[in-house]
Amino acid sequence: MNLEMPSLFPVLPEIFVFAMACVILLADLYIAPSARSVSYALTQLTLAGAACLTIAGADISGYLFNRMFVADPLSVLLKLAIYGVTFFVFAYSRDYLRSRGLDRSEYYVLGLFGIVGMMVMVSASHFLTLYLGLELLSLSLYSMVAFQRDSATATEAAMKYFVLGAMASGMLLYGMSMLYGVTGSLEISAVRLAVSKMNPNDIVLIFGLVFVVVGIAFKLGSVPFHMWVPDVYHGAPTAVTLYISTAPELAAFAMVMRLLVGGLEGVSSSWHGMLVILAILSMALGNLIAIAQTNIKRMLAYSAISHMGFFLLGILSASPSGYSASLFYVLVYAVMSLGAFGIVILLSRSGFEAERLDDFKGLNQRSPWHAFLMLLLMFSMAGVPPTAGFYAKFLVIQSLVGSGAVWLAVLSVLFAVIGAYYYLRIVKLMYFDDAQDLAPIEAGRDFRVLLGVNGLLLVGILPWVGTVIDWCNFAIRSLSYS
């Protein structure tokens, strides 16, 4: 019997990032505490190297490892977005961690392991691969939330996250096992084929689908499975909250696409109703409770819940245009969340966390430039034209109208208007209230430059927004489950 060694080129980025995470972990044993910047530099070089390898292999499409791993344009686009977003996350986090005595290599190592988990998720074509990627990401996030070991708040948040995350993983795994029972396979394309030949009302199939949707909803933080989101966002160090709120959302999109669209699109009529309920509840509760928040991290947590509701609206249209709209939405959301938490980190300093909304009072007096960047971020999150956030919302609503769900489009616009209140409240505090804190804003030049790029990207991208939407359309059209 001749054994044929498959080409490993499509999986080289995963191998490279994993190997570099191990190298940084070992190198940390020999690095003096005063030279921690070496770990940071190696981490950023790892992301740049992974991006080069991914681009070099972008033309290669196909399955590996007995069809457990797939290389396609969607995985390439999401991996590049994950590298880019995480590059900014680590750059924003460095000074924050250093000023609080948390500048340890473990943060970067856990971050890189989490990236490997995300990369495996976006290239998964098998339930087991998807689950392994999800667990690798989840375990990294649990550890990162508890990174500040002497903080009771962080420890409590990590415990809640771990318990609820384990429960969600169990439900997802139970749903997958039921799907395996009725389809006889864990391979996503085989599950899709088997489901297309089954009675869509098969009771075991529907139960499996319900458990899978509940597991996804937990991971997305959709209502009524959102309980962990505000506590984790609030309890974790802001650098960790920044990480949790950005790149993992891109991996969550991949999980939804691989599971619901890739394997279970044949019963889309069944998961359509479930996603409608999750989306409406998420937009309603997320926006309404965010209004009552006085803590910026909790406000952004409830904002994230409402954005996940909007994101689900594109998926439930069960059409390529809807999937593309959701992909564009989650890309824009990752950039917006990155910038918003970047500003929170900018205003914080050693011994002071800028977590209250009142800490934004009079920001225009202290730094007109950073107040302007925050204004752009808040306008984009609210969907005010002509920011990228407006186009993201517009595409989702357009896909809803195209699929005939006009009432849902009207409802989403209503909730977007309600949500605009708490975003514009930040703008009012910055421009119309007097500053309570007149301490100078201190940050490194690289931080300021990246934050400026981050904020301006939401309007600077407008001439090329059509190109980005074309990339999203191409990535979705290239999905193949034959």
Side-chain angles (χ1 to χ4, degrees):
M1 183 175 65
N2 293 325
L3 292 177
E4 188 176 342
M5 184 69 180
S7 169
L8 294 179
F9 200 83
V11 80
L12 267 185
E14 283 84 350
I15 296 173
F16 176 70
V17 176
F18 189 82
M20 284 302 296
C22 295
V23 167
I24 295 168
L25 188 61
L26 288 174
D28 183 56
L29 297 173
Y30 304 98
I31 294 175
S34 58
R36 294 292 184 202
S37 57
V38 174
S39 300
Y40 168 76
L42 283 174
T43 304
Q44 298 294 49
L45 285 174
T46 300
L47 294 174
C52 292
L53 288 171
T54 303
I55 292 171
D59 294 333
I60 302 174
S61 296
Y63 292 93
L64 277 85
F65 309 122
N66 290 322
R67 300 176 70 84
M68 296 185 79
F69 183 95
V70 63
D72 57 15
L74 177 64
S75 63
V76 171
L77 178 62
L78 287 175
K79 284 177 189 175
L80 290 175
I82 287 169
Y83 305 147
V85 166
T86 316
F87 184 92
F88 277 70
V89 167
F90 288 150
Y92 290 169
S93 304
R94 184 174 58 159
D95 289 342
Y96 178 91
L97 296 172
R98 187 181 295 164
S99 63
R100 287 155 183 79
L102 298 172
D103 188 22
R104 302 193 296 267
S105 299
E106 291 95 315
Y107 175 80
Y108 303 111
V109 172
L110 288 169
L112 288 179
F113 280 137
I115 290 172
V116 176
M118 294 181 224
M119 295 165 75
V120 172
M121 285 173 70
V122 301
S123 282
S125 59
H126 194 281
F127 283 168
L128 284 183
T129 326
L130 186 67
Y131 188 74
L132 286 175
L134 177 63
E135 285 306 290
L136 180 55
L137 170 62
S138 299
L139 290 173
S140 302
L141 295 181
Y142 303 150
S143 306
M144 291 177 79
V145 173
F147 192 65
Q148 196 170 7
R149 288 172 297 199
D150 56 351
S151 166
T153 312
T155 306
E156 182 186 344
M159 282 299 296
K160 286 180 180 175
Y161 195 16
F162 175 72
V163 171
L164 291 175
M167 191 187 302
S169 295
M171 289 189 179
L172 185 63
L173 202 57
Y174 192 50
M176 287 178 174
S177 67
M178 295 181 87
L179 292 176
Y180 173 68
V182 294
T183 62
S185 179
L186 290 172
E187 185 193 328
I188 290 175
S189 58
V191 169
R192 180 187 183 90
L193 183 63
V195 167
S196 67
K197 297 175 181 175
M198 290 178 63
N199 178 2
N201 295 319
D202 184 284
I203 189 69
V204 182
L205 175 64
I206 297 300
F207 265 105
L209 174 64
V210 169
F211 277 105
V212 166
V213 170
V214 169
I216 290 173
F218 256 116
K219 295 299 180 184
L220 286 176
S222 299
V223 179
F225 310 106
H226 65 288
M227 298 77 75
W228 61 271
V229 180
D231 288 341
V232 170
Y233 273 45
H234 184 201
T238 307
V240 175
T241 309
L242 171 66
Y243 182 91
I244 293 173
S245 66
T246 52
E249 306 294 354
L250 301 169
F253 171 82
M255 182 170 71
V256 173
M257 289 300 295
R258 300 298 185 195
L259 278 176
L260 293 186
V261 180
L264 299 167
E265 197 173 27
V267 286
S268 60
S269 58
S270 298
W271 53 255
H272 177 274
M274 299 181 210
L275 295 195
V276 167
I277 295 170
L278 292 175
I280 292 176
L281 288 178
S282 298
M283 288 188 297
L285 192 138
N287 282 318
L288 291 175
I289 297 187
I291 291 173
Q293 300 304 311
T294 56
N295 181 290
I296 183 75
K297 288 168 72 176
R298 294 189 78 87
M299 191 203 86
L300 290 173
Y302 283 104
S303 161
I305 292 169
S306 70
H307 280 291
M308 285 303 104
F310 231 100
F311 152 75
L312 287 174
L313 291 177
I315 299 292
L316 62 84
S317 67
S319 66
S321 62
Y323 304 148
S324 300
S326 282
L327 175 55
F328 183 73
Y329 194 93
V330 79
L331 288 171
V332 172
Y333 172 72
V335 175
M336 295 187 302
S337 183
L338 183 68
F341 279 106
I343 295 284
V344 175
I345 287 181
L346 175 79
L347 298 183
S348 301
R349 56 185 180 273
S350 181
F352 173 73
E353 300 289 336
E355 295 184 353
R356 299 176 308 145
L357 294 186
D358 287 347
D359 295 329
F360 285 79
K361 281 185 175 178
L363 180 59
N364 183 51
Q365 298 168 4
R366 299 172 62 194
S367 173
W369 171 242
H370 292 111
F372 175 68
L373 292 179
M374 191 62 173
L375 176 142
L376 286 180
L377 291 161
M378 292 297 103
F379 275 10
S380 188
M381 281 195 170
V384 175
T387 58
F390 165 75
Y391 286 99
K393 280 186 164 57
F394 177 77
L395 285 177
V396 169
I397 292 168
Q398 192 179 43
S399 72
L400 284 174
V401 174
S403 64
V406 178
W407 68 274
L408 207 47
V410 173
L411 204 58
S412 64
V413 172
L414 179 65
F415 285 126
V417 172
I418 293 173
Y421 170 79
Y422 56 87
Y423 295 123
L424 297 180
R425 183 173 57 177
I426 299 288
V427 176
K428 179 254 180 190
L429 290 174
M430 292 190 302
Y431 283 90
F432 298 102
D433 286 18
D434 292 329
Q436 293 181 344
D437 180 6
L438 296 175
I441 296 175
E442 298 176 354
R445 179 171 300 186
D446 55 341
F447 187 110
R448 291 171 183 266
V449 170
L450 289 176
L451 192 60
V453 171
N454 189 168
L456 293 178
L457 191 63
L458 296 170
V459 288
I461 199 177
L462 293 181
W464 299 278
V465 74
T467 305
V468 179
I469 293 170
D470 287 343
W471 290 348
C472 295
N473 289 329
F474 175 69
I476 295 298
R477 281 199 306 269
S478 67
L479 285 176
S480 171
Y481 296 98
S482 58

